[in-house]
Amino acid sequence: MLKEILQTLQIETEAEALNLILTFILSGLIGYVWSHRGQVTGTEKEKEKVEDGEGLSELQDGDVSLPGSESLLKLIKDRRSIMPKDLTGEILSDETIEYLLEAGNWAPTHHKTQPWRYIVISGPNNILDYLDFIEKWYSDNRELVSEDEFQKFQDKYSSMRETLPANVSHMLVIGMKRQALTDKLLPEWEEIAATSCSVQNIHLALTALPGCGGFWSSHTWCKHARDSNQFKEYLGLESEDRVFGAFILGRIRDGAKFKSTRADWRNKVVWRTGS
Ligand SMILES: Cc1cc2nc3c(=O)[nH]c(=O)nc-3n(C[C@H](O)[C@H](O)[C@H](O)COP(=O)(O)O)c2cc1C
């Protein structure tokens, strides 16, 4: 059979046969590489989409060039802390939250410990579960809290229960791993600073999405529960880790306006420059 094929192809020597096989393999290889040029896997494609901000309903444009200095300063100045009373309760897409978390993940971090952790909570029932846990902690640990503090907690708790489940899209509970890498223990302030940078990244990324807003709630109203080991365990953290409240976000109600002020930076800066 092989002999007949070789005769048909007019191949008489071993060298000619080898030549033909090699040409066949090589052209197959070139064809494969050509047809797969620029192709990426499904997962990589999804990742690229999130990194490029593509496919996000809240995102306006697909321009991936860097913003100019003026646009960047405008974004920074336009970032506002927007409270739950000014949110509509609409649930933002998973892609939007992934985009925010991607932004948060690019915070600077000494020794790349990347200590920020987020627990994503969304939907009225999940937010109520979260609030229930906090309330239960206060009733189980009544003796650890003064009368005055307990009263303050109760007052604030009622308003949280009213507004958060109804108005908020997502709560990103902010955690910090005290020792994210086993071989590196940095000063705690550096890990707190890196986590804060991560939250700021999220806040700025959110500011770029028209009609969306949020704020960092340090959870002072429930600080005893927030700092407890039970709360850390509930969130999947360890006792040495920290919880810094939650970044609370959603869709801003129509017509809401926000402003803020800062004292002049010149009053906060000392120059020692020049000769
Ligand atoms: C670490 C941190 C914790 C904050 N915690 C709260 C909070 O618990 N409640 C609140 O209303 N605002 C909180 N804020 C938001 C500030 O109140 C807000 O940034 C400030 O009023 C300035 O407004 P702006 O962010 O719109 O410029 C917090 C901000 C930071 C940086």
Side-chain angles (χ1 to χ4, degrees), residues 10-28:
Q10 294 182 326
I11 291 174
E12 282 160 19
T13 65
E14 263 182 33
E16 281 177 334
L18 197 66
N19 203 358
L20 182 75
I21 291 166
L22 282 177
T23 312
F24 185 74
I25 292 172
L26 204 64
S27 58

mmCIF file of all heavy atoms in Angstrom, residues 10-28:
data_model
loop_
_atom_site.group_PDB
_atom_site.id
_atom_site.type_symbol
_atom_site.label_atom_id
_atom_site.label_comp_id
_atom_site.label_asym_id
_atom_site.label_seq_id
_atom_site.Cartn_x
_atom_site.Cartn_y
_atom_site.Cartn_z
ATOM 1 N N GLN A 10 5.751 9.352 -7.266
ATOM 2 C CA GLN A 10 7.043 9.266 -7.965
ATOM 3 C C GLN A 10 8.215 9.484 -6.998
ATOM 4 O O GLN A 10 9.144 10.229 -7.258
ATOM 5 C CB GLN A 10 7.100 10.296 -9.098
ATOM 6 C CG GLN A 10 6.070 9.963 -10.183
ATOM 7 C CD GLN A 10 6.137 10.936 -11.339
ATOM 8 O OE1 GLN A 10 6.411 12.109 -11.166
ATOM 9 N NE2 GLN A 10 5.918 10.428 -12.542
ATOM 10 N N ILE A 11 8.091 8.846 -5.787
ATOM 11 C CA ILE A 11 9.180 8.944 -4.800
ATOM 12 C C ILE A 11 9.943 7.640 -4.810
ATOM 13 O O ILE A 11 9.372 6.570 -4.560
ATOM 14 C CB ILE A 11 8.614 9.241 -3.414
ATOM 15 C CG1 ILE A 11 8.069 10.674 -3.430
ATOM 16 C CG2 ILE A 11 9.650 9.087 -2.314
ATOM 17 C CD1 ILE A 11 7.353 11.093 -2.225
ATOM 18 N N GLU A 12 11.222 7.736 -5.109
ATOM 19 C CA GLU A 12 11.993 6.496 -5.256
ATOM 20 C C GLU A 12 13.020 6.299 -4.131
ATOM 21 O O GLU A 12 13.278 5.194 -3.705
ATOM 22 C CB GLU A 12 12.708 6.506 -6.612
ATOM 23 C CG GLU A 12 11.696 6.163 -7.718
ATOM 24 C CD GLU A 12 12.133 6.600 -9.089
ATOM 25 O OE1 GLU A 12 13.352 6.849 -9.292
ATOM 26 O OE2 GLU A 12 11.262 6.725 -9.930
ATOM 27 N N THR A 13 13.562 7.379 -3.606
ATOM 28 C CA THR A 13 14.590 7.201 -2.572
ATOM 29 C C THR A 13 14.034 7.545 -1.204
ATOM 30 O O THR A 13 13.018 8.244 -1.079
ATOM 31 C CB THR A 13 15.791 8.142 -2.842
ATOM 32 O OG1 THR A 13 15.311 9.476 -2.691
ATOM 33 C CG2 THR A 13 16.369 7.947 -4.216
ATOM 34 N N GLU A 14 14.780 7.057 -0.138
ATOM 35 C CA GLU A 14 14.402 7.335 1.251
ATOM 36 C C GLU A 14 14.469 8.833 1.540
ATOM 37 O O GLU A 14 13.632 9.391 2.244
ATOM 38 C CB GLU A 14 15.388 6.623 2.190
ATOM 39 C CG GLU A 14 14.865 5.298 2.680
ATOM 40 C CD GLU A 14 15.823 4.635 3.643
ATOM 41 O OE1 GLU A 14 16.525 5.342 4.401
ATOM 42 O OE2 GLU A 14 15.867 3.422 3.587
ATOM 43 N N ALA A 15 15.468 9.474 0.961
ATOM 44 C CA ALA A 15 15.670 10.919 1.187
ATOM 45 C C ALA A 15 14.472 11.720 0.679
ATOM 46 O O ALA A 15 13.990 12.636 1.343
ATOM 47 C CB ALA A 15 16.945 11.375 0.473
ATOM 48 N N GLU A 16 13.964 11.310 -0.502
ATOM 49 C CA GLU A 16 12.801 12.015 -1.059
ATOM 50 C C GLU A 16 11.580 11.833 -0.151
ATOM 51 O O GLU A 16 10.798 12.765 0.074
ATOM 52 C CB GLU A 16 12.498 11.487 -2.461
ATOM 53 C CG GLU A 16 13.423 12.080 -3.518
ATOM 54 C CD GLU A 16 13.148 11.486 -4.894
ATOM 55 O OE1 GLU A 16 12.645 10.351 -4.971
ATOM 56 O OE2 GLU A 16 13.452 12.155 -5.881
ATOM 57 N N ALA A 17 11.448 10.584 0.382
ATOM 58 C CA ALA A 17 10.308 10.301 1.278
ATOM 59 C C ALA A 17 10.384 11.144 2.538
ATOM 60 O O ALA A 17 9.397 11.742 2.985
ATOM 61 C CB ALA A 17 10.306 8.812 1.644
ATOM 62 N N LEU A 18 11.617 11.228 3.131
ATOM 63 C CA LEU A 18 11.827 12.011 4.353
ATOM 64 C C LEU A 18 11.518 13.488 4.129
ATOM 65 O O LEU A 18 10.862 14.158 4.941
ATOM 66 C CB LEU A 18 13.290 11.835 4.798
ATOM 67 C CG LEU A 18 13.568 12.235 6.240
ATOM 68 C CD1 LEU A 18 12.825 11.287 7.187
ATOM 69 C CD2 LEU A 18 15.064 12.179 6.513
ATOM 70 N N ASN A 19 11.983 13.951 2.955
ATOM 71 C CA ASN A 19 11.752 15.348 2.570
ATOM 72 C C ASN A 19 10.249 15.671 2.549
ATOM 73 O O ASN A 19 9.790 16.682 3.073
ATOM 74 C CB ASN A 19 12.369 15.554 1.177
ATOM 75 C CG ASN A 19 12.678 17.020 0.953
ATOM 76 O OD1 ASN A 19 12.392 17.836 1.812
ATOM 77 N ND2 ASN A 19 13.243 17.330 -0.203
ATOM 78 N N LEU A 20 9.496 14.732 1.954
ATOM 79 C CA LEU A 20 8.049 14.940 1.829
ATOM 80 C C LEU A 20 7.373 14.985 3.206
ATOM 81 O O LEU A 20 6.547 15.855 3.498
ATOM 82 C CB LEU A 20 7.442 13.810 0.988
ATOM 83 C CG LEU A 20 5.939 13.981 0.763
ATOM 84 C CD1 LEU A 20 5.677 15.064 -0.278
ATOM 85 C CD2 LEU A 20 5.300 12.681 0.309
ATOM 86 N N ILE A 21 7.802 14.054 4.097
ATOM 87 C CA ILE A 21 7.196 13.999 5.442
ATOM 88 C C ILE A 21 7.465 15.298 6.202
ATOM 89 O O ILE A 21 6.570 15.889 6.813
ATOM 90 C CB ILE A 21 7.736 12.777 6.235
ATOM 91 C CG1 ILE A 21 7.193 11.491 5.602
ATOM 92 C CG2 ILE A 21 7.350 12.842 7.706
ATOM 93 C CD1 ILE A 21 7.881 10.235 6.042
ATOM 94 N N LEU A 22 8.769 15.749 6.107
ATOM 95 C CA LEU A 22 9.130 16.985 6.812
ATOM 96 C C LEU A 22 8.329 18.189 6.305
ATOM 97 O O LEU A 22 7.840 19.012 7.080
ATOM 98 C CB LEU A 22 10.635 17.271 6.658
ATOM 99 C CG LEU A 22 11.527 16.437 7.575
ATOM 100 C CD1 LEU A 22 12.997 16.724 7.302
ATOM 101 C CD2 LEU A 22 11.213 16.719 9.041
ATOM 102 N N THR A 23 8.192 18.284 4.958
ATOM 103 C CA THR A 23 7.421 19.391 4.365
ATOM 104 C C THR A 23 5.981 19.349 4.872
ATOM 105 O O THR A 23 5.388 20.375 5.222
ATOM 106 C CB THR A 23 7.409 19.267 2.824
ATOM 107 O OG1 THR A 23 8.725 19.033 2.403
ATOM 108 C CG2 THR A 23 6.844 20.503 2.155
ATOM 109 N N PHE A 24 5.446 18.138 4.960
ATOM 110 C CA PHE A 24 4.067 17.955 5.405
ATOM 111 C C PHE A 24 3.892 18.448 6.854
ATOM 112 O O PHE A 24 3.001 19.246 7.168
ATOM 113 C CB PHE A 24 3.725 16.453 5.300
ATOM 114 C CG PHE A 24 2.291 16.166 5.624
ATOM 115 C CD1 PHE A 24 1.282 16.488 4.731
ATOM 116 C CD2 PHE A 24 1.950 15.572 6.835
ATOM 117 C CE1 PHE A 24 -0.042 16.230 5.036
ATOM 118 C CE2 PHE A 24 0.631 15.314 7.143
ATOM 119 C CZ PHE A 24 -0.369 15.642 6.240
ATOM 120 N N ILE A 25 4.816 18.027 7.751
ATOM 121 C CA ILE A 25 4.735 18.415 9.166
ATOM 122 C C ILE A 25 4.878 19.938 9.306
ATOM 123 O O ILE A 25 4.112 20.598 10.004
ATOM 124 C CB ILE A 25 5.830 17.704 9.999
ATOM 125 C CG1 ILE A 25 5.517 16.204 10.064
ATOM 126 C CG2 ILE A 25 5.934 18.275 11.408
ATOM 127 C CD1 ILE A 25 6.593 15.361 10.690
ATOM 128 N N LEU A 26 5.872 20.485 8.587
ATOM 129 C CA LEU A 26 6.152 21.919 8.694
ATOM 130 C C LEU A 26 4.971 22.775 8.239
ATOM 131 O O LEU A 26 4.585 23.733 8.901
ATOM 132 C CB LEU A 26 7.400 22.245 7.844
ATOM 133 C CG LEU A 26 8.144 23.497 8.268
ATOM 134 C CD1 LEU A 26 8.711 23.301 9.674
ATOM 135 C CD2 LEU A 26 9.287 23.787 7.297
ATOM 136 N N SER A 27 4.350 22.363 7.096
ATOM 137 C CA SER A 27 3.230 23.186 6.612
ATOM 138 C C SER A 27 2.043 23.087 7.565
ATOM 139 O O SER A 27 1.321 24.050 7.785
ATOM 140 C CB SER A 27 2.831 22.798 5.186
ATOM 141 O OG SER A 27 2.482 21.441 5.181
ATOM 142 N N GLY A 28 1.882 21.904 8.198
ATOM 143 C CA GLY A 28 0.807 21.744 9.183
ATOM 144 C C GLY A 28 1.032 22.679 10.361
ATOM 145 O O GLY A 28 0.114 23.347 10.850
#
